[in-house]
Amino acid sequence: MNFYDTADIIIQEFIDSGYRHMLDIPNNKVWVTESTTSTLVFHKKNVVIEFYFFHPSMETPMHSHPFHNKIIFLGGDLIGHKQNPNDPLSKTSVALNDSHKLKLGPMMPAGILHGFTTGPIGGNLYNIQIWEHDIEYPVSAGVEYQGISLGPLHQKLINERIVTGKQIGR
C-alpha cells in the first residue's frame, strides 16, 4: 500500500469519527501568526490534520509546503488561490462557500504555490498534511512553510523548527 492509499484510509477514519480531535499529539500547541491561528487535531502515521482559523480581511503570500495537501472547508469567507504548475504566471482562485462545507478537497501536490484571502468574517478549515513517510513530531503547516513569511510572529515559529535537539515535522 502506498502513502496515498494509507492517507485516504486515515482521513476517512477521522471523518467517520465525527471529526473527533485527539488530545495527546506531541509538540501540539496553539500556533499563532499575523493571519492565522491553528492547532493540530489528529495525527496518525503520515497524516497530520490541523484546525485552521484564517483571520478576517487578510491575504497570505503565495507559498508552498513540503507535503501533499487536502482540505475540508468548515465555513466563513475564504478564497483559495493556486498557481497553475504548467503556467507559473497564472493562478486559479476558488471562493469556498456552503456547497464546499465538510467536503474533502482534491489532493494538492507538495511544492505547489498557493495562498488564501478572507473577507470580513474570516474562515476556517481542516488542513490535511499528507507526507510520503511517517511523521514522529508533527507541527503546524505554518512551520512547514516555504515562501515569504506572514511577519515576525510567523518567522519566529519557522525559526523554532528544532525542538529539544530533534528535527520536528519533516
Side-chain angles (χ1 to χ4, degrees):
M1 187 177 299
N2 66 36
F3 73 93
Y4 289 116
D5 295 335
T6 302
D8 285 343
I9 291 167
I10 293 169
I11 293 165
Q12 193 60 52
E13 178 183 326
F14 174 69
I15 293 168
D16 291 346
S17 77
Y19 306 94
R20 184 182 168 115
H21 294 189
M22 300 172 96
L23 302 177
D24 59 350
I25 299 172
N27 298 319
N28 200 11
K29 64 180 184 177
V30 176
W31 309 84
V32 179
T33 73
E34 287 73 6
S35 303
T36 62
T37 302
S38 67
T39 192
L40 307 180
V41 298
F42 192 88
H43 167 241
K44 187 172 183 180
K45 294 185 180 185
N46 66 325
V47 175
V48 180
I49 302 176
E50 186 170 10
F51 191 25
Y52 247 90
F53 294 92
F54 290 86
H55 302 175
S57 303
M58 69 89 209
E59 183 169 355
T60 65
M62 296 294 278
H63 62 278
S64 66
H65 302 282
F67 51 79
H68 307 284
N69 192 231
K70 289 186 177 191
I71 66 167
I72 299 172
F73 177 66
L74 298 172
D77 186 7
L78 187 62
I79 300 171
H81 311 285
K82 181 173 76 168
Q83 183 181 48
N84 180 343
N86 299 320
D87 181 4
L89 299 178
S90 72
K91 68 179 178 181
T92 302
S93 296
V94 175
L96 300 169
N97 56 45
D98 285 347
S99 71
H100 298 97
K101 276 188 181 175
L102 296 179
K103 292 185 180 165
L104 184 61
M107 176 81 77
M108 183 174 66
I112 299 292
L113 288 174
H114 64 282
F116 294 95
T117 304
T118 62
I121 64 170
N124 54 66
L125 55 77
Y126 286 117
N127 182 59
I128 304 170
Q129 303 175 27
I130 302 167
W131 292 83
E132 294 185 14
H133 54 82
D134 289 356
I135 295 295
E136 186 176 358
Y137 300 102
V139 295
S140 171
V143 174
E144 294 289 358
Y145 180 98
Q146 298 162 338
I148 298 169
S149 79
L150 303 171
L153 289 174
H154 185 216
Q155 190 60 52
K156 184 177 179 208
L157 290 177
I158 294 168
N159 293 344
E160 292 174 351
R161 188 174 280 139
I162 304 296
V163 174
T164 63
K166 296 178 183 174
Q167 178 79 25
I168 58 176
R170 302 171 207 200

